[in-house]
């Protein structure tokens, strides 16, 4: 069974802290994505990666960075967390192209920034 | 760029009743179309997808969707809902040209009453 694992389901951080959200997939997928989910706004793409060490900005990259050192792992980094980054973060992976490949999602990481 | 609208934020139906969730898209050609479901506390799972061909698409869990080009719609249907169908449903559209990412709608939350 395919699996995308997000290491932290719930995090509480303070303003200004550096936050790491980790995502691992076991499907040998080329593409990995980080989305942010907020009520009434749906899913918004933060960053994506189509290969190791490659990354592309999504629709809302400000305040975030990413790292992909290994094919199976894609990390989202908040350099200095702010309260407006309180949200649900979803990691996903896909084998095929960005617009037509089935996305496989992790269970999400709910981040609260105080 | 493509866009997608889910006009219903929240829908309540009785168990055993039929269901239709609306999705309208904007794109200059026939897009790739998807429906995803998010059960409480879970990530998103693909229900069904339309790429081309037969405009009535069958998915998992007894769901189907119909692509109507004239109405720019891709509505999701189920003839008889079960309590386990309570979830949030997301329509997504992908471009068939270029390298655009998937665009998700804002979601429709489905409540099932006994």
């Amino acid at each position: 069974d395919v699996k995308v694992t997000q290491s932290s389901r719930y995090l509480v951080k303070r303003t200004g802290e550096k936050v790491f959200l980790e995502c691992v997939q076991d499907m040998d997928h080329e593409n990995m994505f980080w989305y942010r989910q907020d009520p009434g706004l749906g899913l918004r793409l933060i960053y994506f990666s189509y290969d190791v060490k490659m990354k592309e900005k999504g629709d809302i990259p400000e305040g975030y960075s990413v790292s992909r050192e290994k094919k199976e792992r894609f990390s989202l980094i908040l350099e200095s967390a702010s309260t407006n980054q309180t949200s649900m973060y979803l990691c996903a992976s896909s084998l095929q192209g960005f617009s037509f490949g089935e996305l496989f999602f992790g269970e999400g990481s709910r981040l609260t920034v105080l | 760029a493509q866009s997608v609208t889910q006009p219903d934020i929240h829908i309540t139906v009785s168990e055993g009743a039929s269901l239709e969730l609306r999705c309208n898209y904007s794109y200059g050609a026939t897009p790739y179309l998807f429906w995803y479901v998010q059960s409480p506390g879970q990530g998103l799972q693909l229900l069904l997808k339309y790429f081309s061909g037969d405009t009535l698409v069958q998915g998992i869990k007894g769901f189907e969707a119909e692509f109507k080009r004239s109405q720019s719609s891709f509505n999701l249907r189920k003839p008889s809902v079960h309590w386990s169908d309570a979830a949030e449903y997301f329509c997504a559209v992908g471009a068939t040209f270029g390298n655009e990412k998937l665009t998700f709608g804002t979601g429709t939350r489905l409540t099932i009453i006994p």
Side-chain angles (χ1 to χ4, degrees):
Chain A
D1 209 10
V2 297
K3 192 81 173 170
V4 177
T5 302
Q6 295 182 231
S7 55
S8 302
R9 293 294 305 275
Y10 301 94
L11 303 94
V12 179
K13 299 292 182 180
R14 298 215 174 267
T15 301
E17 280 192 81
K18 191 169 186 176
V19 181
F20 291 88
L21 300 180
E22 304 286 340
C23 175
V24 177
Q25 52 99 358
D26 65 359
M27 297 165 283
D28 202 34
H29 284 174
E30 302 293 335
N31 308 307
M32 296 189 75
F33 306 80
W34 275 106
Y35 287 89
R36 173 175 171 161
Q37 182 180 13
D38 298 290
L41 297 177
L43 275 70
R44 294 179 291 167
L45 183 63
I46 305 172
Y47 267 96
F48 65 98
S49 168
Y50 52 89
D51 201 353
V52 176
K53 296 191 185 295
M54 306 301 288
K55 60 185 180 184
E56 293 284 344
K57 294 180 180 180
D59 300 317
I60 52 165
E62 296 78 19
Y64 303 94
S65 63
V66 290
S67 172
R68 194 166 180 201
E69 296 296 321
K70 293 184 177 181
K71 190 176 186 180
E72 67 271 17
R73 188 179 297 270
F74 192 36
S75 302
L76 180 69
I77 303 156
L78 288 67
E79 293 288 344
S80 178
S82 63
T83 55
N84 62 13
Q85 292 177 309
T86 291
S87 187
M88 171 70 86
Y89 291 89
L90 293 170
C91 176
S93 70
S94 76
L95 180 60
Q96 295 173 295
F98 303 128
S99 65
F100 58 88
E102 178 181 356
L103 293 176
F104 293 87
F105 283 86
E107 293 183 324
S109 298
R110 184 167 294 281
L111 172 66
T112 301
V113 183
L114 302 176
Chain B
Q2 69 271 24
S3 66
V4 59
T5 301
Q6 294 181 248
D8 303 307
I9 296 173
H10 184 205
I11 284 183
T12 301
V13 299
S14 299
E15 190 168 14
S18 63
L19 171 70
E20 182 167 28
L21 301 182
R22 296 184 291 165
C23 173
N24 294 98
Y25 69 88
S26 174
Y27 184 61
T30 299
Y32 300 122
L33 294 161
F34 307 80
W35 275 100
Y36 283 83
V37 61
Q38 184 180 33
S39 298
Q42 302 295 314
L44 279 72
Q45 180 185 22
L46 181 68
L47 279 177
L48 47 78
K49 60 189 177 187
Y50 173 78
F51 285 177
S52 64
D54 192 347
T55 57
L56 185 63
V57 180
Q58 302 297 320
I60 62 171
K61 306 186 182 192
F63 285 91
E64 67 178 25
E66 186 171 13
F67 169 59
K68 293 186 177 180
R69 186 192 312 275
S70 61
Q71 299 176 20
S72 298
S73 69
F74 188 57
N75 294 348
L76 182 70
R77 300 194 295 246
K78 187 170 185 178
S80 176
V81 298
H82 186 261
W83 64 266
S84 60
D85 294 324
E88 188 147 22
Y89 292 80
F90 293 91
C91 182
V93 59
T96 50
F97 298 98
N99 201 21
E100 295 288 329
K101 291 80 62 185
L102 275 183
T103 298
F104 283 85
T106 52
T108 298
R109 184 160 63 92
L110 175 64
T111 298
I112 308 294
I113 55 176

